[in-house]
Amino acid sequence: MSELPVYSFFPWLRQGLGNQITAEDFNAAVQLRATIPVTIELTGTGLGGNLASPITHTIPLAGPGDIVGIASRAIVRTEPRNWITNFEPNYIPFIEFYDEDFPWRYIPARANTTTHRLRPWIALVVLEESEFGTGANTTERPLPFIVLEDPTVLPAADQLWAWAHVHVNRGMIDAGIRLPSLTAAQPVSADAITPAVQRLSTTVDENADLAYSRIVCPRKLKENTAYH
């Protein structure tokens, strides 16, 4: 009998300079673009000998508003596929990205340390044809846009953290080890999560194809209905 496949899921992943952001998600200090201080040291030779002078400057990071497109090669799978007509209405649409950190790459905030939640900078929106119109007056706009008839069809902004995750085609914890439940009363400690995160890093270094990210649209589809 063959072994059953093992999958692991992470609520978010951050790499690179994004880990230096200090403003916590949903905090009033969060700006449209996150900034980090960068210090360089200039050295030179003067009349009195060698001179050194540190210079610190605040550098803005790219934010969601700076992104004007997503390369098609960044996407590895979409469900339903374009023009498909037999997608099960009890399933939900999603998009998968090759880079594990892509949905959180440009969010100008760090994760909430109590809930271990971080909203993605993008969301998947699925609309019926009658729910939106094509925007006009695109003279000074970098991208086409739509106008919603009813904005309540959008996913709730404070729940976007629940509709994005990292999927790993391998177990990230040893057999027999069970992480505590993530609840408001008993949040998971960093000590419990760290080994799994370290194993994820090792797994991606070994084979980058074993992990990817996914965003989901929390909308129940109707039968025999066209969506965009």
Side-chain angles (χ1 to χ4, degrees):
M1 181 176 179
S2 60
E3 294 184 2
L4 294 176
V6 177
Y7 304 113
S8 300
F9 298 89
F10 290 81
W12 59 272
L13 180 65
R14 208 66 186 272
Q15 297 178 337
L17 290 176
N19 287 311
Q20 306 302 316
I21 298 174
T22 58
E24 193 172 89
D25 199 11
F26 288 106
N27 191 292
V30 174
Q31 304 294 320
L32 293 178
R33 292 184 183 88
T35 58
I36 59 171
V38 175
T39 301
I40 61 174
E41 187 173 89
L42 299 179
T43 59
T45 302
L47 296 177
N50 295 331
L51 302 175
S53 177
I55 297 178
T56 300
H57 190 69
T58 300
I59 304 297
L61 301 179
D66 298 311
I67 310 304
V68 296
I70 299 174
S72 58
R73 63 180 180 273
I75 299 172
V76 296
R77 182 184 177 192
T78 61
E79 288 290 346
R81 297 184 301 278
N82 197 26
W83 293 110
I84 198 169
T85 59
N86 61 347
F87 187 71
E88 296 86 344
N90 59 319
Y91 285 15
I92 53 178
F94 63 84
I95 298 178
E96 294 175 349
F97 300 97
Y98 186 79
D99 291 339
E100 303 81 22
D101 68 324
F102 187 76
W104 307 274
R105 183 174 295 173
Y106 303 106
I107 186 73
R110 68 175 176 85
N112 183 298
T113 55
T114 301
T115 62
H116 297 282
R117 297 173 180 174
L118 181 64
R119 287 178 297 170
W121 66 275
I122 50 176
L124 178 57
V125 178
V126 177
L127 301 172
E128 296 182 37
E129 293 182 348
S130 61
E131 293 176 333
F132 71 97
T134 302
N137 189 20
T138 59
T139 304
E140 297 182 357
R141 296 176 182 267
L143 291 172
F145 66 98
I146 63 173
V147 178
L148 288 177
E149 301 296 333
D150 179 12
T152 61
V153 300
L154 296 175
D158 60 349
Q159 296 177 10
L160 289 178
W161 61 269
W163 306 110
H165 56 260
V166 180
H167 181 132
V168 190
N169 291 324
R170 181 176 290 182
M172 293 293 100
I173 57 176
D174 294 325
I177 297 179
R178 185 181 180 88
L179 292 178
S181 300
L182 181 58
T183 65
Q186 295 179 327
V188 175
S189 67
D191 292 338
I193 295 175
T194 299
V197 174
Q198 291 174 341
R199 183 165 292 182
L200 171 62
S201 178
T202 301
T203 299
V204 173
D205 289 341
E206 174 191 336
N207 184 350
D209 293 343
L210 288 175
Y212 46 92
S213 55
R214 180 185 295 117
I215 58 173
V216 178
C217 176
R219 180 170 190 172
K220 185 177 181 179
L221 305 182
K222 302 176 184 176
E223 295 183 1
N224 303 315
T225 303
Y227 289 94
H228 292 261

